[in-house]
Amino acid sequence: MTDPLFILLIGILIVVGGIIGLRLHPFLALLLGAFVVAMVTPTTAIEQYVLSRGGTAAAAQALADKAVGERIAMQFGSTCEKIGILIAMASIIGKCMLESGGAERIVRSTLKVTGITKAPLTFLGSSFFIGIPVFFDTVFYLMIPLAKAMAIRIGKNYLLLVLCVTAGAAMANSLVPPTPGPLFLVSEMQIPIGMMMIGGILVGIVTIIVGYIFAAWANRKWPVPLRDSIEAPLEKIKALSSGKSQSLPPIWLATLPILIPLVFISAKAALNTFANVQTDSSPGILITIVDFLGEKNIALVAGALSALIMLALKNKGDKKALLASVQAALMSGGIIILITAAGGAFGGMLQQTGISERIGILTQDFQMALIPLAFIITAVVRTAQGSATVAMITASGILSGMAISGNLEYHQLYIGLAIACGSKLIPWMNDSGFWIVCKMSNLTEKEALKTFSPLLTIMGISGLIVILLAAKIFPLI
């Protein structure tokens, strides 16, 4: 009854059964799953969870002594801390870009360069390279208004555009530093950061090509219409798409809400990765500005302010219209924050059961080649508890000793890349990213499980195949 695998099964049944079978709202189903998992988790498992992450015995005892509701609230709040401001600001950016015509201006400018037929490939490549310095969720927030405007413009392929954005950003997030997962792999497995960046980009390009093929097939088999929503009413998007170009904002102003967060977040990531700035030194004014504005919450706030200015100029200073737009955006964003935070609480309760350590014990003596073993361990941990970063950290902790000290016939880079690709399997309802994609793109849970989840799984598996071939042909030792 207290085995983490059994508790995991209970949690899966409650959440999936509640949402799909009983038609519960995802927020309620996730919270119910979190409460049940938390109640059946033994105190010893909670204490061991804290100790395994470097916590003190006092901290372990303190967490174990907390009531079930307190532990869930802590994880709920922790997720809100990470994504609350981001989602709220992203909702404002999306709403303002759509209503001001900024998204329509970008779409029209893009179509002039690429043409309609190549628009999805443009979204795919853009999201991958934007996703190298920027978190997956931030990329998705910034690109989804453009996907909606583009879908209205070309009259089809909304699901294809959404999956292209998802495919590019998700693979870059796990494969290429300086995002946290790859950075941890670099340090834990002693992989040169430049080698990880080049290897991650090369594997990532192959995987997103495979992802595009699946996305195009899924778009033909299960076409998803662009649905009406509070933050993006179809009537307004259609009206803007049929309007004259002279009524739209200039391209430099239209791109500011995206460029401001992207440039400053990327600049800060580059500064932290490549520049040796000491904390006791006196950094120049430019470094100080980049360090301040490059913090993701500040960057999104700055982007939202530029979007509000653009909408205010469009409405000629109409305060009532501006207020109505902000309220609609925050209403929609609030629901997404609640669902995503509940997903984080459910995943957090699963982690406290010791599911990661349990899987590590089951696989540590498994006689299998190291590359597929690394992939499988990461995939199982990711599927079990929802976080790709936690899965990467868990797998690298299990395998780093063998990868560094073992007599490998190939560079340990390939172990790191296998762990990164394994972290893509299998996103479902215990993953906050699943809910971000599902709710911001207006996909139903069934649609997301049929398209988004297989997309990442297929890309992860294709990455494993590429890594195995590369390790054989180019061992790099």
Side-chain angles (χ1 to χ4, degrees):
M1 289 291 289
T2 59
D3 189 299
L5 295 174
F6 180 75
I7 297 174
L8 170 65
L9 178 61
I10 293 174
I12 292 173
L13 290 174
I14 291 173
V15 174
V16 177
I19 293 173
I20 296 179
L22 300 179
R23 303 292 183 183
L24 286 178
H25 191 280
F27 174 73
L28 296 177
L30 288 163
L31 269 189
L32 179 60
F35 269 101
V36 173
V37 168
M39 285 190 293
V40 299
T41 301
T43 301
T44 54
I46 300 171
E47 293 174 350
Q48 185 57 41
Y49 165 78
V50 177
L51 295 173
S52 68
R53 279 153 181 76
T56 63
Q61 186 63 49
L63 182 62
D65 289 342
K66 290 185 181 296
V68 167
E70 286 184 280
R71 287 195 283 123
I72 292 173
M74 285 176 60
Q75 288 294 329
F76 187 93
S78 176
T79 306
C80 281
E81 177 187 3
K82 296 173 185 175
I83 54 87
I85 294 176
L86 293 177
I87 291 179
M89 293 302 102
S91 297
I92 292 174
I93 289 173
K95 179 72 170 177
C96 292
M97 286 189 68
L98 287 169
E99 291 206 349
S100 67
E104 178 63 24
R105 168 63 75 184
I106 294 173
V107 167
R108 291 189 186 188
S109 300
T110 301
L111 289 176
K112 286 181 181 178
V113 177
T114 66
I116 290 178
T117 57
K118 295 181 181 178
L121 285 172
T122 303
F123 273 68
L124 181 71
S126 299
S127 62
F128 179 78
F129 286 103
I130 294 172
I132 292 174
V134 181
F135 286 107
F136 165 79
D137 47 5
T138 307
V139 178
F140 195 81
Y141 301 148
L142 295 176
M143 295 290 284
I144 196 64
L146 303 184
K148 291 179 178 180
M150 183 67 80
I152 284 288
R153 185 70 179 170
I154 63 181
K156 58 181 179 178
N157 293 343
Y158 176 60
L159 178 62
L160 177 58
L161 294 169
V162 170
L163 294 181
C164 283
V165 172
T166 302
M171 294 312 298
N173 190 253
S174 289
L175 282 167
V176 188
T179 47
L183 277 181
F184 184 86
L185 287 177
V186 164
S187 60
E188 187 76 4
M189 311 199 75
Q190 299 180 16
I191 303 170
I193 188 169
M195 182 178 283
M196 185 70 186
M197 292 183 75
I198 294 171
I201 289 173
L202 292 175
V203 172
I205 289 172
V206 176
T207 59
I208 65 173
I209 291 172
V210 174
Y212 178 80
I213 294 171
F214 171 80
W217 175 82
N219 183 66
R220 290 193 301 270
K221 187 172 178 62
W222 303 298
V224 175
L226 177 58
R227 298 184 175 105
D228 204 5
S229 60
I230 296 174
E231 80 284 0
L234 290 182
E235 288 186 6
K236 289 191 176 182
I237 301 176
K238 290 177 180 177
L240 288 168
S241 68
S242 60
K244 295 181 179 180
S245 295
Q246 292 84 347
S247 64
L248 300 176
I251 187 65
W252 67 266
L253 181 59
T255 55
L256 273 186
I258 293 178
L259 287 180
I260 287 175
L262 175 61
V263 169
F264 282 107
I265 292 173
S266 301
K268 180 170 182 175
L271 193 69
N272 293 340
T273 302
F274 300 109
N276 186 22
V277 180
Q278 301 295 328
T279 55
D280 57 349
S281 64
S282 299
I285 185 66
L286 181 60
I287 291 178
T288 302
I289 292 173
V290 169
D291 189 59
F292 174 74
L293 290 177
E295 196 279 321
K296 60 182 181 180
N297 291 297
I298 299 295
L300 264 292
V301 169
L305 287 175
S306 69
L308 285 169
I309 291 171
M310 180 169 60
L311 183 59
L313 292 174
K314 170 74 175 179
N315 292 333
K316 297 180 173 55
D318 187 342
K319 294 181 180 179
K320 289 185 178 180
L322 193 64
L323 179 61
S325 297
V326 172
Q327 286 180 333
L330 293 179
M331 284 175 62
S332 174
I335 295 172
I336 297 170
I337 291 170
L338 285 174
I339 295 173
T340 305
F346 177 56
M349 293 305 100
L350 286 176
Q351 291 178 35
Q352 291 180 15
T353 65
I355 186 66
S356 298
E357 290 75 15
R358 179 78 168 89
I359 292 169
I361 293 171
L362 288 174
T363 57
Q364 64 183 356
D365 297 323
F366 198 62
Q367 298 301 311
M368 188 188 292
L370 215 51
I371 291 176
L373 176 62
F375 179 87
I376 290 171
I377 291 174
T378 315
V380 173
V381 176
R382 163 64 194 272
T383 304
Q385 50 76 47
S387 169
T389 302
V390 169
M392 293 172 73
I393 292 171
T394 301
S396 60
I398 295 169
L399 296 167
S400 60
M402 290 183 282
I404 295 169
S405 61
N407 297 319
L408 296 179
E409 298 177 352
Y410 44 81
H411 197 279
Q412 63 262 33
L413 165 69
Y414 294 111
I415 305 294
L417 292 173
I419 289 173
C421 287
S423 71
K424 298 295 95 181
L425 282 71
I426 298 169
W428 64 287
M429 294 168 179
N430 65 347
D431 174 21
S432 60
F434 175 90
W435 294 108
I436 289 170
V437 171
C438 190
K439 295 304 173 183
M440 295 204 74
S441 62
N442 303 117
L443 298 180
T444 67
E445 290 81 14
K446 285 185 178 180
E447 287 169 346
L449 287 171
K450 285 195 301 185
T451 58
F452 167 66
S453 299
L455 172 71
L456 264 61
T457 301
I458 289 169
M459 289 194 298
I461 293 172
S462 66
L464 173 63
I465 295 170
V466 171
I467 293 163
L468 287 169
L469 291 173
K472 185 70 174 177
I473 300 171
F474 308 107
L476 300 179
I477 58 171

